[in-house]
Amino acid sequence: MQDIRERLIQALQAAKDAAHVEQIRIDFLGRKGLITQLAKNVDFSKLTADEKKGFGQKLNELKQFATEKIAAAVDAYKETATRHKTNDLDLTAPGKGRRLGSLHPITLTQMELEDVFQGMGFSVLYGPEIESEFFCFEALNIPHDHPARDMQDTFWLKNQLILRTHTSANQVRTLRRFGAPIRAIFPGRCFRYEAIDPSHENTFYQCEGLVVDKNVSVANLIATMRVILSQVFKRDVKVRLRPGYFPFVEPGFELDLNCLLCGGKGCPTCKNSGWIELIPCGLVHPEVLRHGGIDPKEYSGFAFGVGLTRLAMMKFGITDIRYLNCGDLRVNEQFSTLF
Ligand code: DAH
């Protein structure tokens, strides 16, 4: 019996899991188990009454010892199993999931502009980034030898195609396609061969706008710009209008925005002037209307070119244009909370 007791203890110490413990129970206490067999192997007729009693007592003690040790081992495994399960449900553990992506500040600004303009009855149209010289220049009253071409350093492709230098290229495309009256914006990417600095990039975004209808005046243009900017900046903004020259508008203006970064005091972003050139605009030149197949005696219109990239910089307080195209996700992540 002492031998069996020791073997049981050893076996339980070596056990690795609940199934192992159950096998030990069968080996010792099962029908053919060591302890069960003990009683069967003894010839009780040869024992005295006292010996029988003594044997019976020892055997019961051994059975009880074995039962208790095995039960304790089973309990120990149950407890570990439950602890594992509870750990799996630890609600305070940090999440493992992928972070959600976030939209680029320019995309956010573009979406907001589209929303505001759509609310005012404008269509949102997208033109090609690879353009013909005609729609980018000639149709806009900028012939080959016109000095205005020097203002926009152009990337040339093969077959006389170019990367559009401005979204104004959509004006005549759209007039030819839809005619008048029309109210539309054309947001998109533009390209120029620029020397890069905090406010110039070779790739930037504009949002062109075009309204052609009967009796459209400068008053309509100014009113529209005021509504748009106050909605975008969600506060009253200071603007100023001064004459500007663009071959495709007559008269032409520069609409400047009081710099929101420095409040007009002057900073690198506004080149210390306190003003940001934001929206060049004007009344559509009769020649442009004619190129679009519209009779300038019957219709008039206004056009404007919002600097979408500049607008995003103003809106989010981004001081250097180079952050926007740098491809560093940490730039985007700062704006994800805006959704
Ligand atoms: N396309 C011009 C540029 O990129 C900006 C512009 C000026 C657009 C006057 C207009 C406008 O619609 O009326 O420099």
Side-chain angles (χ1 to χ4, degrees):
M1 281 189 198
Q2 189 55 34
D3 181 41
I4 290 175
R5 196 183 277 254
E6 275 162 21
R7 281 165 67 183
L8 175 71
I9 291 168
Q10 275 171 16
L12 285 175
Q13 273 169 357
K16 290 204 171 59
D17 52 26
H20 209 150
V21 173
E22 171 60 7
Q23 188 54 51
I24 293 168
R25 191 192 64 75
I26 294 166
D27 290 345
F28 286 83
L29 291 170
R31 243 180 346 114
K32 294 185 178 156
L34 285 174
I35 296 174
T36 322
Q37 290 299 317
L38 257 184
K40 290 187 182 153
N41 292 337
V42 173
D43 185 357
F44 282 94
S45 62
K46 291 191 177 146
L47 299 181
T48 65
D50 274 348
E51 281 172 331
K52 272 189 211 163
K53 202 174 156 198
F55 181 84
Q57 252 177 14
K58 287 255 160 60
L59 187 66
N60 276 342
E61 275 171 28
L62 179 62
K63 261 192 200 162
Q64 183 146 4
F65 175 81
T67 312
E68 277 170 16
K69 286 283 174 205
I70 290 168
V74 167
D75 279 351
Y77 279 111
K78 260 193 205 147
E79 210 183 287
T80 348
T82 335
R83 211 166 39 234
H84 278 315
K85 264 188 202 152
T86 320
N87 281 350
D88 286 346
L89 284 174
D90 183 359
L91 297 179
T92 64
K96 286 184 199 154
R98 274 179 26 204
R99 269 178 310 169
L100 282 179
S102 48
L103 294 172
H104 193 278
I106 290 180
T107 311
L108 289 168
T109 310
Q110 181 179 329
M111 285 165 67
E112 188 170 21
L113 265 190
E114 290 180 0
D115 210 43
V116 172
F117 275 108
Q118 276 177 323
M120 293 177 79
F122 281 70
S123 310
V124 180
L125 303 171
Y126 307 96
E129 290 176 352
I130 294 176
E131 235 336 332
S132 69
E133 256 190 282
F134 176 76
F135 286 120
C136 204
F137 297 122
E138 271 111 274
L140 293 172
N141 215 14
I142 313 175
H144 271 290
D145 54 356
H146 198 287
R149 287 224 184 173
D150 298 342
M151 284 157 47
Q152 304 188 355
D153 289 315
T154 309
F155 288 114
W156 291 86
L157 306 173
K158 289 176 185 155
N159 309 327
Q160 294 297 296
L161 291 172
I162 58 174
L163 293 183
R164 70 177 173 199
T165 55
H166 54 181
T167 44
S168 308
N170 288 303
Q171 288 191 18
V172 170
R173 276 185 173 279
T174 306
L175 289 175
R176 287 192 175 184
R177 183 153 173 218
F178 296 108
I182 179 114
R183 232 182 301 176
I185 57 164
F186 319 95
R189 203 153 52 146
C190 306
F191 311 85
R192 283 184 208 180
Y193 184 62
E194 291 276 6
I196 295 175
D197 67 24
S199 51
H200 292 89
E201 252 286 8
N202 53 35
T203 304
F204 56 95
Y205 287 74
Q206 291 187 338
C207 179
E208 185 80 8
L210 177 69
V211 172
V212 176
D213 209 331
K214 292 189 170 152
N215 303 317
V216 173
S217 69
V218 175
N220 301 131
L221 163 63
I222 294 171
T224 308
M225 293 299 101
R226 277 213 182 119
V227 172
I228 297 302
L229 288 174
S230 63
Q231 292 208 26
V232 168
F233 289 106
K234 301 194 172 54
R235 59 178 138 149
D236 273 341
V237 291
K238 254 204 239 169
V239 295
R240 72 176 185 190
L241 209 60
R242 59 195 163 86
Y245 171 68
F246 302 93
F248 40 95
V249 281
E250 180 56 39
F253 308 102
E254 289 282 3
L255 188 144
D256 297 343
L257 176 71
N258 195 242
C259 182
L260 296 173
L261 288 187
C262 64
K265 286 196 202 93
C267 67
T269 304
C270 61
K271 291 182 191 142
N272 290 317
S273 72
W275 294 93
I276 296 277
E277 223 177 273
L278 192 65
I279 310 185
C281 49
L283 294 190
V284 182
H285 196 288
E287 194 57 20
V288 176
L289 290 175
R290 257 180 240 119
H291 275 301
I294 309 290
D295 182 359
K297 289 201 198 80
E298 198 182 347
Y299 286 100
S300 58
F302 65 81
F304 52 91
V306 178
L308 191 48
T309 298
R310 284 215 180 141
L311 187 62
M313 289 171 72
M314 287 274 95
K315 206 173 149 47
F316 295 114
I318 299 167
T319 50
D320 193 320
I321 198 170
R322 290 169 291 193
Y323 285 128
L324 295 168
N325 288 0
C326 70
D328 189 333
L329 284 180
R330 288 174 302 179
V331 174
N332 283 25
E333 280 162 3
Q334 295 175 53
F335 305 99
S336 57
T337 50
L338 295 168
F339 263 94

